[in-house]
């Protein structure tokens, strides 16, 4: 879970850092003639939102209900409801962000990087607090011997926005102790994504914080990396609450548009 939260935070930070530096097109430029930099970046923003929404929807519909059913220590009961409340704290801001992104693409709003940053700032604080607190909660639940962490990891194996995950997963994080690739599928699946799926929206992935091998890189328009924004969490949780991905995920994922 913590590795996935890292990816979400890297995506968030890359949007905040890049958006102010993408030039605004001339006034009244229709969406169909927006600069490629703008449309590619907005596609990247859409994928960030899709990943975030998909992740939290899976948590609320699958992960936390299953977790709640396993909890045997009375003081930990109600974890699922508390997690839902935290999700609600940033959803309105995320909706405003989505409306702004889609409005620009639909020629209802002009591209202004500073305005998009304000939309992100409208939910970033609550989102960051939630991502930090959720990992702390899961770490505390290590004290409950009835929780099957392997089963919980498998329950989250349906995450589909793999290109965004691949290109925002820093394999050098904590000295590379978490493996050569994340999501942790077989090497040949990674190659399939690299050669078939990532090129379908390659303009968007140039805004990612890492390349398609998970190596940190400079951000376009900014010229800096974002490795300092790593989110740290106990290694025991990383080892036991690892999200599993399978080859079948290659057949359907939202952010690999044709």
């Amino acid at each position: 879970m913590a590795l996935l939260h890292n990816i979400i935070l890297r995506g968030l930070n890359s949007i905040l850092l890049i958006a102010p530096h993408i030039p605004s097109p001339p006034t009244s430029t229709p969406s169909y003639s927006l600069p490629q930099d703008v449309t590619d970046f907005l596609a990247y923003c859409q994928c960030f939102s899709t990943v975030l929404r998909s992740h939290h929807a899976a948590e609320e519909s699958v992960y936390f209900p299953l977790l709640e059913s396993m909890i045997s220590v009375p003081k930990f009961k109600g974890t699922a409801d508390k997690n839902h409340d935290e999700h609600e704290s940033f959803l309105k801001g995320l909706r405003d962000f989505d409306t702004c992104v889609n409005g620009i693409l639909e020629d209802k709003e002009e591209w202004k990087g500073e305005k998009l940053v304000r939309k992100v700032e409208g939910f970033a604080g609550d989102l960051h607090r939630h991502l930090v607190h959720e990992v702390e909660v899961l770490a505390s639940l290590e004290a409950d011997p009835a929780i099957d962490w392997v089963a919980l990891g498998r329950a989250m194996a349906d995450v589909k926005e793999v290109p965004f995950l691949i290109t925002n997963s820093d394999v050098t994080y904590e000295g590379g102790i978490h493996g050569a690739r994340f999501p942790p599928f077989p090497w040949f699946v990674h190659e399939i994504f690299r050669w078939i799926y990532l090129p379908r929206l390659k303009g968007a992935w140039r805004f990612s914080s890492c390349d398609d091998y998970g190596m940190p890189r400079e951000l376009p328009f900014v010229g800096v990396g974002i490795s300092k924004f790593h989110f740290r969490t106990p290694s025991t949780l990383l080892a036991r609450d690892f999200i599993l991905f399978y080859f079948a995920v290659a057949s359907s994922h939202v952010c690999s548009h044709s």
Side-chain angles (χ1 to χ4, degrees):
M1 188 71 75
L3 291 179
L4 187 51
H5 284 195
N6 261 330
I7 291 171
I8 292 171
L9 287 173
R10 289 191 195 100
L12 182 73
N13 283 317
S14 61
I15 292 171
L16 281 169
L17 288 170
I18 294 171
H21 299 284
I22 298 180
S24 299
T27 305
S28 301
T29 300
S31 58
Y32 60 80
S33 61
L34 282 174
Q36 192 68 44
D37 291 332
V38 174
T39 56
D40 285 346
F41 183 68
L42 292 174
Y44 179 72
C45 291
Q46 288 179 320
C47 285
F48 164 79
S49 180
T50 298
V51 168
L52 180 56
R53 288 180 179 280
S54 176
H55 172 62
H56 289 300
E59 283 187 336
E60 294 210 352
S61 63
V62 179
Y63 189 90
F64 275 91
L66 179 59
L67 174 65
E68 189 74 29
S69 71
M70 294 178 178
I71 291 175
S72 63
V73 179
K75 70 177 181 178
F76 293 141
K77 289 292 185 181
T79 296
D81 289 338
K82 293 175 183 176
N83 192 70
H84 171 76
D85 291 341
E86 289 187 10
H87 287 179
E88 290 297 314
S89 70
F90 62 81
L91 285 180
K92 180 183 182 302
L94 182 60
R95 285 193 294 269
D96 290 343
F97 170 76
D98 291 338
T99 299
C100 180
V101 170
N102 294 331
I104 298 168
L105 289 170
E106 296 168 4
D107 198 26
K108 296 177 181 177
E109 297 188 41
E110 293 180 0
W111 163 256
K112 296 291 184 182
E114 296 81 2
K115 181 178 180 179
L116 192 68
V117 167
R118 289 195 296 272
K119 295 296 183 182
V120 174
E121 290 174 341
F123 69 89
D126 288 329
L127 173 60
H128 178 261
R129 281 187 289 273
H130 163 66
L131 293 175
V132 173
H133 184 245
E134 185 173 272
V135 173
E136 292 173 346
V137 168
L138 293 175
S140 70
L141 288 172
E142 293 255 288
D144 191 335
I147 296 176
D148 185 342
W149 295 101
V150 173
L152 284 167
R154 288 178 177 147
M156 289 288 282
D158 194 33
V159 177
K160 298 179 175 64
E161 292 72 32
V162 177
F164 185 93
L165 303 181
I166 290 175
T167 59
N168 281 291
S169 176
D170 181 356
V171 298
T172 69
Y173 174 54
E174 293 190 326
I177 64 173
H178 306 297
R181 63 183 63 86
F182 185 85
F185 37 48
W187 68 268
F188 60 89
V189 179
H190 188 266
E191 292 303 305
I192 289 172
F193 276 103
R194 284 191 64 244
W195 291 104
I196 298 177
Y197 291 104
L198 268 72
R200 294 183 180 183
L201 202 57
K202 63 181 180 180
W205 311 133
R206 62 194 171 106
F207 297 103
S208 297
S209 61
C210 302
D211 63 21
D212 51 7
Y213 287 101
M215 298 300 295
R217 62 184 180 188
E218 288 191 348
L219 299 176
F221 298 97
V222 184
V224 298
I226 58 173
S227 58
K228 67 179 180 179
F229 292 102
H230 285 150
F231 175 71
R232 301 187 179 279
T233 194
S235 296
T236 52
L237 181 63
L238 288 171
R240 295 186 59 183
D241 190 33
F242 212 65
I243 299 174
L244 304 177
F245 289 80
Y246 298 95
F247 177 73
V249 82
S251 62
S252 60
H253 47 86
V254 175
C255 293
S256 60
H257 305 302
S258 300

